[in-house]
Amino acid sequence: MDTREARILVVDDDRQVAAFTAMSLGILGAAGQVATACSAGDAYRQMLAAPFDLVISDLRMPGMDGLELLEQIGSHFPGVRLVLVTGDSNPGIEGRARRAGVHRCVSKPYPVELLGTIVCDLLAGRDGQVAADAAGSVAVDLGSAGERSHGPGTTAPDRGQGGTGLTG
């Protein structure tokens, strides 16, 4: 799929993080249309109205968490690429995400270029590994044996650092 035609939905309960992520993907040329949702319910309503090609969701959100959301989207919208972003990545979450059909788990904080590369690769049907990054940001490719890979660039949102968590 041509990324310029792709529809991507970014889901995060922090509006600033969702907006930053959407803006970054646009600047990197990773998508044609990027929408945001600040809750799992809003995201699912947007999917019902006009399905997206790829959904990026934060894990921790009030009410339904991001993994539950991606699980529902994956079961009702086959073919949609799913990315989970979390500050709490661990083998248990990664296993649950794999069973839910999530294609990648990305640990926060992460370089925005890493997320852009992941989006472009998934939309192009490439599930290969991403190049290494000195900061140690991790993207777990759940589609191919769960090997860890790293990516280059500047830092993306991490709410664990206080304030809005926007850095870089």
Coordinates of all heavy atoms in Angstrom, one line a residue, residues 10 12 14-28 34 36 110-113 115 154-158 164-168:
V10 N -4.4 7.2 15.5 CA -3.5 7.2 16.7 C -4.4 7.4 17.9 O -5.2 8.4 18.0 CB -2.5 8.4 16.6 CG1 -1.7 8.5 17.9 CG2 -1.6 8.3 15.4
D12 N -4.6 7.7 22.0 CA -3.9 8.0 23.3 C -4.8 8.9 24.1 O -5.3 9.9 23.6 CB -2.5 8.7 23.1 CG -1.6 8.6 24.3 OD1 -2.1 9.0 25.4 OD2 -0.5 8.1 24.1
D14 N -3.9 11.0 26.2 CA -3.3 12.3 26.4 C -3.4 13.0 25.0 O -2.7 12.6 24.0 CB -1.8 12.1 26.8 CG -1.1 13.4 27.0 OD1 -1.3 14.4 26.3 OD2 -0.3 13.5 28.0
R15 N -4.2 14.0 24.9 CA -4.4 14.7 23.6 C -3.2 15.2 22.9 O -3.0 15.1 21.7 CB -5.4 15.8 23.7 CG -6.8 15.3 24.0 CD -7.8 16.5 24.1 NE -9.1 16.1 24.7 CZ -10.0 15.6 23.9 NH1 -9.9 15.3 22.7 NH2 -11.2 15.2 24.5
Q16 N -2.3 15.7 23.8 CA -1.0 16.3 23.2 C -0.1 15.2 22.7 O 0.5 15.4 21.6 CB -0.3 17.1 24.3 CG -1.0 18.4 24.6 CD -0.3 19.1 25.7 OE1 0.1 18.6 26.8 NE2 0.0 20.4 25.5
V17 N -0.1 14.0 23.3 CA 0.7 12.9 22.8 C 0.1 12.4 21.5 O 0.9 12.2 20.5 CB 0.8 11.8 23.8 CG1 1.5 10.5 23.2 CG2 1.6 12.3 25.1
A18 N -1.2 12.3 21.4 CA -1.8 11.8 20.2 C -1.6 12.8 19.1 O -1.2 12.4 17.9 CB -3.3 11.7 20.4
A19 N -1.7 14.1 19.3 CA -1.5 15.1 18.3 C 0.0 15.1 17.9 O 0.3 15.3 16.7 CB -1.9 16.5 18.8
F20 N 0.9 15.0 18.8 CA 2.4 15.0 18.5 C 2.7 13.8 17.6 O 3.4 13.9 16.6 CB 3.2 15.0 19.7 CG 4.7 14.8 19.5 CD1 5.5 15.9 19.2 CD2 5.3 13.6 19.5 CE1 6.8 15.8 19.0 CE2 6.6 13.4 19.3 CZ 7.4 14.5 19.0
T21 N 2.1 12.6 17.9 CA 2.4 11.4 17.2 C 1.8 11.6 15.8 O 2.5 11.3 14.8 CB 1.8 10.2 17.9 OG1 2.3 10.1 19.2 CG2 2.1 8.9 17.1
A22 N 0.6 12.1 15.7 CA 0.0 12.3 14.3 C 0.8 13.2 13.5 O 1.0 13.0 12.3 CB -1.5 12.7 14.5
M23 N 1.2 14.4 14.1 CA 1.9 15.4 13.4 C 3.3 14.8 12.9 O 3.7 15.0 11.8 CB 2.2 16.6 14.3 CG 3.0 17.7 13.6 SD 3.4 19.0 14.8 CE 4.5 18.1 15.9
S24 N 3.9 14.0 13.8 CA 5.2 13.4 13.4 C 5.1 12.5 12.3 O 5.9 12.5 11.4 CB 5.8 12.7 14.6 OG 6.0 13.6 15.7
L25 N 4.1 11.7 12.3 CA 3.9 10.7 11.2 C 3.7 11.5 9.9 O 4.1 11.1 8.8 CB 2.7 9.8 11.5 CG 3.0 8.7 12.6 CD1 1.7 8.0 12.9 CD2 4.1 7.8 12.2
G26 N 2.9 12.6 9.9 CA 2.7 13.4 8.7 C 4.0 14.0 8.2 O 4.3 14.0 7.0
I27 N 4.8 14.6 9.1 CA 6.0 15.2 8.7 C 7.0 14.2 8.1 O 7.7 14.4 7.2 CB 6.7 15.9 9.9 CG1 5.9 17.1 10.3 CG2 8.1 16.3 9.7 CD1 6.3 17.8 11.6
L28 N 7.0 13.0 8.7 CA 7.9 11.9 8.2 C 7.4 11.3 6.9 O 8.1 10.5 6.3 CB 8.0 10.8 9.3 CG 8.8 11.2 10.5 CD1 8.7 10.1 11.6 CD2 10.2 11.5 10.2
V34 N -4.0 11.1 8.9 CA -3.8 10.6 10.3 C -4.9 11.2 11.2 O -5.0 12.5 11.2 CB -2.4 10.9 10.9 CG1 -2.2 10.3 12.3 CG2 -1.3 10.4 9.9
T36 N -6.9 11.2 15.2 CA -6.6 10.9 16.5 C -7.9 10.5 17.3 O -9.0 11.0 16.9 CB -5.9 12.0 17.3 OG1 -6.7 13.2 17.3 CG2 -4.5 12.3 16.6
Y110 N 10.4 6.4 22.6 CA 10.9 5.9 21.3 C 11.2 7.0 20.4 O 10.6 8.1 20.5 CB 9.9 4.9 20.7 CG 8.6 5.6 20.5 CD1 8.3 6.3 19.3 CD2 7.6 5.5 21.4 CE1 7.1 7.0 19.1 CE2 6.3 6.1 21.2 CZ 6.1 6.8 20.1 OH 4.9 7.5 19.9
P111 N 12.2 6.8 19.4 CA 12.4 7.9 18.4 C 11.2 7.9 17.5 O 10.7 6.9 17.0 CB 13.7 7.4 17.7 CG 14.2 6.2 18.5 CD 13.1 5.7 19.3
V112 N 10.8 9.1 17.1 CA 9.7 9.2 16.2 C 10.0 8.6 14.9 O 9.1 8.0 14.2 CB 9.2 10.7 16.0 CG1 8.6 11.2 17.3 CG2 10.3 11.6 15.5
E113 N 11.2 8.6 14.5 CA 11.6 7.9 13.2 C 11.4 6.4 13.3 O 11.0 5.8 12.3 CB 13.1 8.2 12.8 CG 13.3 9.7 12.4 CD 13.6 10.6 13.7 OE1 13.5 10.1 14.8 OE2 14.0 11.7 13.4
L115 N 8.9 4.9 14.9 CA 7.5 4.7 14.6 C 7.2 4.9 13.1 O 6.4 4.1 12.5 CB 6.6 5.6 15.5 CG 5.2 5.3 15.5 CD1 4.9 3.9 16.0 CD2 4.4 6.3 16.4
T154 N 15.3 10.8 17.1 CA 15.0 11.7 18.2 C 13.9 11.1 19.1 O 13.2 10.1 18.7 CB 14.5 13.1 17.7 OG1 13.3 12.9 16.9 CG2 15.6 13.8 16.9
T155 N 13.7 11.6 20.2 CA 12.8 11.0 21.2 C 11.3 11.4 21.0 O 11.1 12.5 20.8 CB 13.2 11.3 22.6 OG1 14.6 11.0 22.8 CG2 12.4 10.6 23.7
A156 N 10.4 10.4 21.2 CA 9.0 10.7 21.1 C 8.4 10.7 22.5 O 9.1 10.6 23.5 CB 8.4 9.6 20.3
P157 N 7.1 10.9 22.6 CA 6.4 11.1 23.9 C 6.6 10.0 24.9 O 6.6 8.8 24.5 CB 4.9 11.1 23.5 CG 4.9 11.5 22.0 CD 6.2 10.9 21.5
D158 N 6.8 10.4 26.1 CA 6.8 9.5 27.2 C 6.2 10.2 28.4 O 6.8 11.0 29.0 CB 8.3 9.1 27.6 CG 8.3 8.2 28.8 OD1 7.3 7.6 29.2 OD2 9.4 8.0 29.3
T164 N 3.7 17.0 29.8 CA 3.1 16.4 28.7 C 4.0 15.2 28.2 O 3.5 14.4 27.5 CB 3.0 17.4 27.5 OG1 4.4 17.8 27.1 CG2 2.2 18.6 27.9
G165 N 5.2 15.1 28.6 CA 6.1 14.0 28.2 C 6.6 14.2 26.8 O 7.2 13.3 26.2
L166 N 6.4 15.3 26.1 CA 6.9 15.5 24.8 C 8.3 16.0 24.9 O 8.6 17.0 25.5 CB 6.0 16.6 24.0 CG 4.5 16.2 24.0 CD1 3.8 17.3 23.2 CD2 4.3 14.9 23.3
T167 N 9.2 15.2 24.2 CA 10.6 15.6 24.2 C 11.1 15.5 22.8 O 10.5 14.9 22.0 CB 11.4 14.6 25.1 OG1 11.3 13.3 24.6 CG2 11.0 14.7 26.6
G168 N 12.3 16.0 22.6 CA 13.0 15.8 21.3 C 12.6 16.9 20.3 O 11.8 17.7 20.3

